Amino acid sequence: MKKIKLGILISGRGSNMQSLIKACQDRSFPAEVVCIITDNGEAAGLKIAKQAGISAFVVESKPLDANKIHEILVQHKVDLVCLAGFMRILKADFLNKWHDKVINIHPSLLPSFKGLNAQEQALKAGVKITGCTVHYVTPEVDAGAIIAQAAVPVLPNDNIQSLSERILAEEHKCYVEAVRLIAAKIAN
């Protein structure tokens, strides 16, 4: 089975990256992580990448040097770019080069609660169900086609931290499933 090559972009701890790495360690999983790129040289996820033996690159620049990121992805023959807690907005010129090849995980059931602080937005709105969404990245933030979603109930005593933790647990499963779906689509 041909595996698709993943490039993962992170800014912090890399827990979604770690779930993708773990899934890729299963021989039957249809993808492999070939590079990690971060905009933060202090990102905890760099240690995870190193422990997994995956090439990691730091691209710290203001504004973001999307051309450098593009070069790294091309050099590693990446088929799919996974944003996993990457806290920078990718501009249209980069996304046009990687049309329908960049995906993101967001902690809400899009199209609800776009942007930052989605869990807080959900709590303030008083919803009874929220969750997470894996979607294609477009120039408009959190507006791309939905690939997969998972629902998470909002409990009466929830706060931002408790809700965030339960959503994150679902993100780890949902992201892996979305990559599996995309890999099957690419293979056909």
Side-chain angles (χ1 to χ4, degrees):
M1 163 183 48
K2 182 181 184 295
K3 294 180 178 251
I4 65 168
K5 295 177 189 248
L6 305 180
I8 303 177
L9 278 59
I10 64 168
S11 291
R13 66 183 170 199
S15 70
N16 273 305
M17 173 195 72
Q18 189 170 24
S19 70
L20 289 170
I21 290 170
K22 184 177 179 190
C24 289
Q25 290 169 341
D26 179 340
R27 292 182 196 267
S28 68
F29 193 72
E32 63 179 317
V33 179
V34 295
C35 67
I36 307 295
I37 303 171
T38 183
D39 63 332
N40 173 10
E42 302 298 315
L46 287 171
K47 184 177 179 184
I48 296 167
K50 183 177 182 180
Q51 290 171 340
I54 299 169
S55 297
F57 303 87
V58 177
V59 180
E60 286 181 308
S61 60
K62 293 188 189 220
L64 181 67
D65 188 349
N67 288 328
K68 181 66 176 166
I69 292 172
H70 172 74
E71 289 170 15
I72 295 166
L73 296 170
V74 169
Q75 177 185 6
H76 287 83
K77 298 182 171 116
V78 167
D79 299 304
L80 183 67
V81 180
C82 299
L83 307 184
F86 188 65
M87 300 308 291
R88 303 281 285 271
I89 294 175
L90 295 167
K91 303 283 188 207
D93 59 338
F94 177 87
L95 293 172
N96 288 337
K97 292 175 191 170
W98 292 90
H99 181 71
D100 283 346
K101 292 183 179 175
V102 181
I103 63 174
N104 184 42
I105 183 95
H106 183 74
S108 78
L109 293 174
L110 291 174
S112 297
F113 313 122
K114 294 179 179 184
L116 297 174
N117 307 313
Q119 302 91 330
E120 182 179 2
Q121 291 179 57
L123 288 170
K124 283 183 178 176
V127 298
K128 301 299 180 200
I129 298 173
T130 188
C132 60
T133 304
V134 180
H135 63 94
Y136 287 101
V137 178
T138 61
E140 184 182 344
V141 175
D142 297 329
I146 293 169
I147 302 159
Q149 292 183 305
V152 174
V154 179
L155 304 177
N157 295 327
D158 262 335
N159 58 37
I160 294 169
Q161 182 178 346
S162 63
L163 182 58
S164 296
E165 287 171 2
R166 285 201 327 284
I167 291 172
L168 186 61
E170 291 304 313
E171 285 181 25
H172 293 163
K173 296 182 264 186
C174 192
Y175 217 161
V176 168
E177 186 55 32
V179 169
R180 187 187 313 277
L181 291 170
I182 293 167
K185 185 177 163 184
I186 291 173
N188 291 333

